[in-house]
Amino acid sequence: MIIRVLDQNYFVQQTLPSEEGLVQYVCTNVSEDDGRTYRIVRIPTSEVQPELIRYLANLYKEGLFHELIQYGNEKGHFHVVMDCGPTKARTLQDRLQTEVISLAERLVMGDNFLKYLIVSSIPLWFAESSMHTDHILFTDALECALDFELEFLMKFEDADMKGLMAGIREVLSELFAKELDKEKLPEMKDYLEKMLQGEYSDLMSAYQEYRKIELSLAGVKESSLEPKSLPWRLWDRIKSLASHTEKLIGVLVFAIVIAYLIWSVWNALQPTKQKDIYPAIGDEKILSSAGLAEGGKDSSASDDSLAGDISADDFSDDIWFSDEEGNLDEEGVLDKEGKSKEAEK
């Protein structure tokens, strides 16, 4: 089958399946013999939107989107011809499934992928629609290109930066799936999480952050990347949550300080409690001077009333005790028989 677009003839090598979108073909130019392939989408002329024609005309006129080869009407159909990329390039999906690619190489692939999106001035819709590993190409030298998906070209106005970032995140997640599944690249995980939350508003800021991660991992051997233990992952999670609750923690700390100050002032204003006075220590009774005058026996007061009468003035310089037999004993003065030790001397 030959498809003619303006002055060029393309030989159809493959018709790509399509369930809902437009019919696409993989073709070669009959006037070329270098094996270069093209993707052609065919749209019935009656269904072509004027906005689409103006959109493609502006891109072609600017001359910055080199992968857009040509477009035009031919026999009741509107055709758009796109370059399929380098002839010897393979899809990222194929390489990940059939090759063992080192972490260092995959970091370079991710770098080249993001740089390609920036440098090639790829229009937003064409970039977003091709964010699948089976449309991203890499040569043996790890140079990147895209085989643009055109099935839903009629929806070219639906693209936005948020959708592109979501697609980039999916591609990088597959590129580093081996490490991410085993928690070996926390830096990359955090980067992709930020991308999901919309922290990168453009491709350049996303690339600059990726570049920092790439440089931090330069020269690191894969064998040295061990998965973080559960305590470390919990600690990382706590830090992540703390960053979002910093203001709340500050308010709680302030409230605790205020509450403590109020309690301190209230406590200081309370009346001083009367000190406890103990009538005995173990088996030894503490007697007032009145009790001593009566022979060491408390005449009528109970222990509690006696304790209430004791004050510092009731005691002489010597401390008196009564033993189990009721004999008074001043330390160094009386023995158990009531005899004066000083008298014996």
Side-chain angles (χ1 to χ4, degrees), residues 199-256:
E199 293 195 20
Y200 307 114
S201 58
D202 54 68
L203 290 173
M204 183 56 71
S205 61
Y207 172 72
Q208 289 173 343
E209 187 66 22
Y210 178 89
R211 183 64 175 163
K212 293 178 183 179
I213 298 174
E214 181 183 7
L215 293 175
S216 69
L217 296 173
V220 176
K221 295 181 179 180
E222 292 185 58
S223 58
S224 64
L225 295 175
E226 295 297 335
K228 285 190 173 183
S229 61
L230 179 59
W232 274 109
R233 293 200 300 272
L234 290 175
W235 175 240
D236 287 341
R237 185 60 179 168
I238 291 172
K239 290 191 294 183
S240 176
L241 293 175
S243 64
H244 298 290
T245 58
E246 183 177 352
K247 292 184 179 180
L248 177 60
I249 293 175
V251 172
L252 291 176
V253 171
F254 181 76
I256 292 173

Side-chain angles (χ1 to χ4, degrees), residues 84-86 89-92 134-139 143-147:
C84 282
R90 298 168 57 194
T91 66
L92 177 58
D134 57 340
H135 285 276
I136 300 171
L137 307 173
F138 283 97
T139 65
E143 295 176 347
C144 184
L146 290 180
D147 179 13

Side-chain angles (χ1 to χ4, degrees), residues 34-248:
D34 57 0
R36 187 179 182 186
T37 57
Y38 302 87
R39 182 183 289 256
I40 298 178
V41 63
R42 169 179 281 185
I43 311 171
T45 305
S46 60
E47 298 179 10
V48 177
Q49 304 167 353
E51 294 80 6
L52 175 60
I53 297 176
R54 287 195 293 267
Y55 175 67
L56 294 173
N58 290 333
L59 293 177
Y60 195 79
K61 183 178 179 180
E62 291 173 357
L64 299 176
F65 187 30
H66 302 293
E67 289 81 356
L68 175 59
I69 304 302
Q70 59 182 167
Y71 62 93
N73 284 307
E74 186 69 29
K75 295 181 179 181
H77 290 88
F78 182 77
H79 299 92
V80 180
V81 183
M82 302 289 298
D83 188 352
C84 282
T87 57
K88 295 184 179 180
R90 298 168 57 194
T91 66
L92 177 58
Q93 183 183 71
D94 181 45
R95 296 197 65 167
L96 291 175
Q97 291 177 351
T98 60
E99 299 179 23
V100 178
I101 309 175
S102 68
L103 174 61
E105 288 180 304
R106 283 180 282 126
L107 286 169
V108 173
M109 293 169 77
D111 185 289
N112 291 344
F113 164 62
L114 293 174
K115 282 194 297 187
Y116 171 75
L117 295 177
I118 297 171
V119 175
S120 298
S121 301
I122 300 174
L124 192 57
W125 183 87
F126 286 92
E128 181 182 340
S129 64
S130 303
M131 289 297 100
H132 307 281
T133 55
D134 57 340
H135 285 276
I136 300 171
L137 307 173
F138 283 97
T139 65
D140 291 339
L142 302 184
E143 295 176 347
C144 184
L146 290 180
D147 179 13
F148 294 95
E149 175 59 66
L150 304 175
E151 183 177 0
F152 299 101
L153 180 58
M154 301 290 282
K155 299 180 180 180
F156 71 96
E157 294 179 312
D158 295 342
D160 56 23
M161 184 57 65
K162 182 179 180 180
L164 177 58
M165 286 297 179
I168 292 173
R169 181 180 180 276
E170 291 300 319
V171 171
L172 294 178
S173 296
E174 290 189 48
L175 185 60
F176 300 104
K178 177 182 176 182
E179 289 77 18
L180 293 173
D181 290 344
K182 297 181 180 179
E183 301 283 346
K184 287 187 176 183
L185 282 181
E187 305 93 337
M188 186 64 67
K189 182 179 180 180
D190 292 342
Y191 171 69
L192 296 176
E193 185 66 25
K194 291 179 181 178
M195 188 174 290
L196 179 64
Q197 296 173 359
E199 293 195 20
Y200 307 114
S201 58
D202 54 68
L203 290 173
M204 183 56 71
S205 61
Y207 172 72
Q208 289 173 343
E209 187 66 22
Y210 178 89
R211 183 64 175 163
K212 293 178 183 179
I213 298 174
E214 181 183 7
L215 293 175
S216 69
L217 296 173
V220 176
K221 295 181 179 180
E222 292 185 58
S223 58
S224 64
L225 295 175
E226 295 297 335
K228 285 190 173 183
S229 61
L230 179 59
W232 274 109
R233 293 200 300 272
L234 290 175
W235 175 240
D236 287 341
R237 185 60 179 168
I238 291 172
K239 290 191 294 183
S240 176
L241 293 175
S243 64
H244 298 290
T245 58
E246 183 177 352
K247 292 184 179 180
L248 177 60

Side-chain angles (χ1 to χ4, degrees), residues 282-302:
D283 294 333
E284 304 293 343
K285 295 181 179 180
I286 302 175
L287 303 179
S288 66
S289 57
L292 293 176
E294 297 179 5
K297 295 183 180 179
D298 194 351
S299 58
S300 60
S302 64

Side-chain angles (χ1 to χ4, degrees), residues 278-338:
Y278 298 96
I281 300 176
D283 294 333
E284 304 293 343
K285 295 181 179 180
I286 302 175
L287 303 179
S288 66
S289 57
L292 293 176
E294 297 179 5
K297 295 183 180 179
D298 194 351
S299 58
S300 60
S302 64
D303 288 344
D304 291 338
S305 62
L306 178 60
D309 294 337
I310 296 176
S311 66
D313 295 335
D314 293 331
F315 293 95
S316 64
D317 293 337
D318 297 324
I319 300 177
W320 294 80
F321 300 92
S322 63
D323 58 17
E324 296 177 356
E325 300 177 359
N327 297 317
L328 297 180
D329 179 21
E330 181 189 6
E331 186 176 3
V333 178
L334 297 179
D335 59 13
K336 288 186 176 181
E337 297 179 356

